Amino acid sequence: MNNFGYTIWILLLPLLSFLVVGLIDYFRGKKGWNPNLAAGIGTCSLGAVTVLSYITAFLYFGLDRVDGVLPTLVPYNFTWLPLGSLHFDLGILLDPISVMMLVVISTVSLMVHIYSFGYMHGEKGFQRYYAFLSLFTFSMLGLVLATNIFQMYMFWELVGVSSYLLIGFYYTLGAAIHASKKAFIVTRFADGFFLVGILIFGYYTGSFNFTFANGLDPQVASEMGMTVCNAAAASKETFFGLMVLPTALVLMFIGGAGKSAMFPLHIWLPDAMEGPTPVSALIHAATMVVAGVFQIARMFPLWVEYAPQAMTIVVVVGAFTAFYAAAVACAQSDIKRGLAFSTISQIAFMMVALGACTSMELTHHEHGGLGYLAGMFHLFTHAMFKACLFLCAGVIIHAVHTNEMSAMGGLRKYMPVTNWTFFISCLAISGIPFFSGFSSKDEIISACMHYSPVLGWFMTGVAAMTAFYMFRLYYCIFWGKENKELHAHHTPGEHSWAMKFPLIFLTVITVGVGVITTISGFGWGMEWASFGNLVTASGKAYTVHFDLATAAISTIVAVCSIALATFIYIREDQPVADRLYKTFPRLHKWAKNRFYMDDVYQWVTHKVMFGVISKTARWIDNTIINGLIDFTAWSANEGGESLRSSQSGDVRHYAVWFLSGAVGLTLLLLCI
């Protein structure tokens, strides 16, 4: 349909790669096979997927627009499982945000595949690693191309399984096992709410399909066998006294909060750094953790029309998470965990941006839809520079053999490519002009200012913290005191071009997008994709407005934060940092220990759930339930034993009972 029939191969190629590499690795067993062949199969399949994704983006964004709106296309859709009036469909849906996500996922995944040639070379399980990468990529692509919320949930869970396998790749290490189980359990807990929300939504609207999406004609959808989502009728229904659609959407948001590591469901993400560093770049910086943001964006027309008040929950959770994660990142000494909390904070920025669009009336306002567009654009820009930061971290760890920044000082002399790519990515995430983060983050702050000045200034403060902790990382790694004793035994250096090329490629995208969007006043970046086809109440597509005042303020704040980080951390001895630590030791300790949120979870889990709830449940099970069953068995046994003597087989015994009964009945009748 519409010349996009080839898009089925975007899904099939990584699936075939997973099956081929996985099955060969399984059947070859201990005999083994050439690991480079496995890497080649996985990388070539992702290369083809990337080419197809870029072709799809070029063709799709070149389509004719009606009132500035791109059409929503469904090249494939078929009924997989009929269930009464409802049915579960599988298909492919193309609209601006799904096509944008194709570009993000395929680009980052391809860079990770290439990078892993060098980083994972010689690792035991190299073939298994590439099989899992292909499985994850297939899962994420299926999630963003889903035509309905149930198909999204299926791939959502498959993403969880894939992340579990990749986080626990080093399954012989206890920390990796613990981290993979923690990620799986926390996200499964959140996904339970997601599933309940889906079932409520499907039952009351009569469909799981995204036929409410802007640009998808209900008649065309009906011709393809897609049932139309009757959201208007469902909006009048109640569920246990609560409005149906707001309840369903909030439950779905809980699932998204778990996947995107929003507070208080964030605890799995920092520990997930136990997996290989390229996995951190792929799963926990660019794709998996933005699934929650994508879910809200996909359901956004329902949020703004039928649950605008519930969006306050998204704003509050996102704003608090952004601040909390930024505060923790300021005190981390592990490079990967510092970047992990940075990711949590940046995902929270996207959540806040989406929440700043609360009603169709606001989207009709000049600035009402800005948060949505800026949030989705920040998803795109953040994926590139954060993936670059994680891959830079991998090069550094590969060179010094530790995650601790205390062993990384003075590396700029040994690793020039990593130094410059890390530096440019730090400028981008800090929101400096002519870098991609400036274009997206400043528009998020602008949207927050129009939503509420208090929220706008709060997020400006968080953005200042972002610039500070990122340049703290940069100076401690590349400018801090050199560990000459460590370097005497092993001189650090950059690895092969397989690891350097992805850094350069992602940096070029970061700079290129930043320069173009800054010069064009942000309009090109967002209108290029019209991310989400946000339509105003008048039926026209929303356009971007450059806010010079907000951009100037946020730039000044970012520069001041960078200057502060430079003043504190650029010197080798760092006397200012030492004085601050001695002045506020308790605050530093709390931030470094994540404000003891993991300890809270441990206490609740072991003392409350295991110590009280589980013990009580076990007592009820053993004493009451098992006791009742045991009493029933004992009663039946005792009753049988008491009747056993009456079944002796002696005719005389039976005759006595017969005559006794006859006499008794006779006397009874006579008395009556």
Side-chain angles (χ1 to χ4, degrees):
M1 179 181 288
N2 297 295
N3 299 321
F4 288 97
Y6 64 87
T7 51
I8 190 67
W9 288 102
I10 295 177
L11 278 179
L12 292 180
L13 285 174
L15 176 61
L16 292 174
S17 173
F18 163 69
L19 293 175
V20 170
V21 176
L23 289 175
I24 292 178
D25 187 55
Y26 176 78
F27 285 111
R28 291 291 296 177
K30 295 182 179 180
K31 296 179 181 179
W33 58 299
N34 190 347
N36 290 330
L37 179 59
I41 293 173
T43 304
C44 289
S45 69
L46 256 296
V49 168
T50 303
V51 171
L52 293 176
S53 298
Y54 279 42
I55 292 173
T56 302
F58 178 79
L59 294 177
Y60 179 80
F61 292 123
L63 294 175
D64 294 333
R65 308 185 184 209
V66 179
D67 292 328
V69 180
L70 285 163
T72 300
L73 307 177
V74 184
Y76 290 96
N77 189 75
F78 65 93
T79 298
W80 169 56
L81 182 64
L83 187 65
S85 59
L86 287 171
H87 52 84
F88 302 141
D89 295 345
L90 294 177
I92 293 177
L93 185 146
L94 299 178
D95 73 342
I97 59 173
S98 65
V99 176
M100 180 268 291
M101 287 299 296
L102 285 182
V103 174
V104 169
I105 296 168
S106 61
T107 300
V108 176
S109 183
L110 178 61
M111 293 301 105
V112 168
H113 275 72
I114 296 173
Y115 180 91
S116 297
F117 265 100
Y119 189 88
M120 299 296 292
H121 180 72
E123 288 278 4
K124 183 180 179 181
F126 189 72
Q127 300 93 322
R128 172 170 53 89
Y129 170 81
Y130 269 91
F132 291 164
L133 283 185
S134 295
L135 176 63
F136 173 82
T137 306
F138 163 71
S139 307
M140 198 65 205
L141 290 170
L143 188 155
V144 301
L145 292 174
T147 60
N148 59 86
I149 191 67
F150 200 86
Q151 180 184 345
M152 176 186 282
Y153 179 76
M154 290 171 56
F155 282 97
W156 184 283
E157 293 302 310
L158 195 54
V159 167
V161 173
S162 306
S163 65
Y164 169 79
L165 296 172
L166 286 168
I167 294 168
F169 176 76
Y170 299 119
Y171 60 86
T172 57
L173 301 178
I177 296 172
H178 174 77
S180 61
K181 290 192 297 184
K182 190 174 184 179
F184 191 80
I185 292 170
V186 173
T187 53
R188 293 297 73 68
F189 171 78
D191 292 350
F193 292 92
F194 187 17
L195 179 59
V196 173
I198 290 173
L199 296 177
I200 294 173
F201 172 81
Y203 178 80
Y204 284 97
T205 63
S207 174
F208 294 112
N209 292 317
F210 296 133
T211 49
F212 52 81
N214 294 323
L216 182 57
D217 189 344
Q219 183 176 353
V220 175
S222 180
E223 291 174 356
M224 297 195 65
M226 301 175 65
T227 54
V228 177
C229 172
N230 194 352
S235 64
K236 302 174 184 178
E237 299 286 345
T238 58
F239 178 78
F240 287 102
L242 301 172
M243 297 301 294
V244 164
L245 286 181
T247 301
L249 291 171
V250 169
L251 290 172
M252 293 182 197
F253 167 68
I254 295 174
K259 194 73 77 180
S260 292
M262 294 293 99
F263 186 92
L265 300 172
H266 67 284
I267 59 169
W268 66 271
L269 185 59
D271 290 347
M273 298 300 109
E274 294 296 336
T277 302
V279 170
S280 303
L282 177 62
I283 298 180
H284 308 294
T287 51
M288 174 182 167
V289 291
V290 300
V293 178
F294 179 82
Q295 181 225 93
I296 295 179
R298 173 60 74 212
M299 307 296 288
F300 195 75
L302 297 181
W303 279 99
V304 296
E305 188 164 358
Y306 301 112
Q309 294 81 10
M311 288 295 277
T312 305
I313 299 174
V314 180
V315 173
V316 172
V317 171
F320 181 81
T321 303
F323 172 76
Y324 166 83
V328 174
C330 289
Q332 295 302 300
S333 60
D334 183 306
I335 181 175
K336 288 176 68 176
R337 279 177 170 78
L339 292 175
F341 278 101
S342 172
T343 296
I344 296 173
S345 185
Q346 294 304 300
I347 299 299
F349 261 89
M350 302 172 203
M351 290 287 190
V352 172
L354 292 177
C357 302
T358 55
S359 68
M360 283 299 181
E361 288 74 25
L362 280 179
T363 57
H364 182 59
H365 187 270
E366 182 182 8
H367 300 281
L370 180 59
Y372 179 88
L373 299 178
M376 297 311 295
F377 189 45
H378 193 57
L379 188 158
F380 173 83
T381 58
H382 172 264
M384 301 303 168
F385 57 69
K386 183 53 68 65
C388 183
L389 286 168
F390 265 105
L391 295 181
C392 285
V395 175
I396 296 165
I397 294 169
H398 201 273
V400 300
H401 307 297
T402 179
N403 291 15
E404 289 297 320
M405 292 190 293
S406 59
M408 299 177 184
L411 289 181
R412 70 186 186 281
K413 295 180 291 185
Y414 304 98
M415 310 172 73
V417 174
T418 308
N419 173 43
W420 281 107
T421 52
F422 197 98
F423 176 72
I424 291 171
S425 297
C426 286
L427 291 174
I429 197 173
S430 300
I432 300 301
F434 301 104
F435 298 94
S436 59
F438 171 69
S439 309
S440 53
K441 183 180 288 186
D442 278 29
E443 289 301 89
I444 291 177
I445 294 175
S446 179
C448 292
M449 286 289 186
H450 291 289
Y451 176 84
S452 167
V454 174
L455 178 65
W457 284 108
F458 181 84
M459 297 308 294
T460 301
V462 177
M465 296 171 68
T466 301
F468 176 81
Y469 68 66
M470 286 307 305
F471 274 86
R472 171 184 174 269
L473 275 176
Y474 172 72
Y475 286 123
C476 288
I477 295 167
F478 294 100
W479 289 77
K481 185 177 181 179
E482 182 179 347
N483 192 330
K484 295 183 179 180
E485 182 180 349
L486 177 64
H487 294 174
H489 295 87
H490 173 75
T491 302
E494 289 169 332
H495 207 268
S496 63
W497 274 100
M499 293 175 68
K500 289 190 286 189
F501 171 75
L503 307 184
I504 298 172
F505 184 85
L506 293 170
T507 302
V508 169
I509 294 178
T510 298
V511 175
V513 172
V515 170
I516 295 175
T517 52
T518 303
I519 293 175
S520 66
F522 301 169
W524 176 85
M526 299 181 194
E527 292 176 3
W528 165 71
S530 296
F531 291 128
N533 272 351
L534 187 63
V535 180
T536 63
S538 63
K540 301 294 183 180
Y542 182 80
T543 56
V544 178
H545 298 272
F546 175 70
D547 192 330
L548 179 60
T550 301
I553 292 171
S554 62
T555 301
I556 293 172
V557 169
V559 171
C560 291
S561 296
I562 294 172
L564 179 61
T566 304
F567 173 71
I568 296 175
Y569 294 105
I570 195 171
R571 293 177 58 180
E572 288 189 359
D573 52 353
Q574 298 180 353
V576 179
D578 293 337
R579 285 199 300 271
L580 287 172
Y581 173 75
K582 293 177 181 178
T583 306
F584 306 103
R586 186 170 297 179
L587 178 61
H588 180 273
K589 183 179 179 181
W590 276 65
K592 187 174 182 179
N593 288 283
R594 315 172 195 178
F595 294 96
Y596 296 98
M597 281 302 302
D598 286 75
D599 298 86
V600 172
Y601 270 94
Q602 286 286 352
W603 185 85
V604 171
T605 302
H606 290 276
K607 298 295 184 181
V608 179
M609 295 183 65
F610 295 163
V612 178
I613 298 175
S614 296
K615 281 187 176 180
T616 303
R618 184 174 61 182
W619 182 87
I620 293 173
D621 183 53
N622 292 336
T623 306
I624 299 178
I625 298 177
N626 286 350
L628 181 61
I629 295 173
D630 292 342
F631 175 76
T632 303
W634 177 83
S635 301
N637 185 63
E638 290 299 315
E641 289 293 335
S642 63
L643 294 174
R644 182 177 182 181
S645 61
S646 64
Q647 301 295 323
S648 62
D650 189 340
V651 176
R652 293 171 298 176
H653 192 195
Y654 294 159
V656 171
W657 278 104
F658 176 77
L659 292 174
S660 299
V663 171
L665 288 174
T666 303
L667 293 174
L668 180 62
L669 292 173
L670 291 174
C671 291
I672 296 174

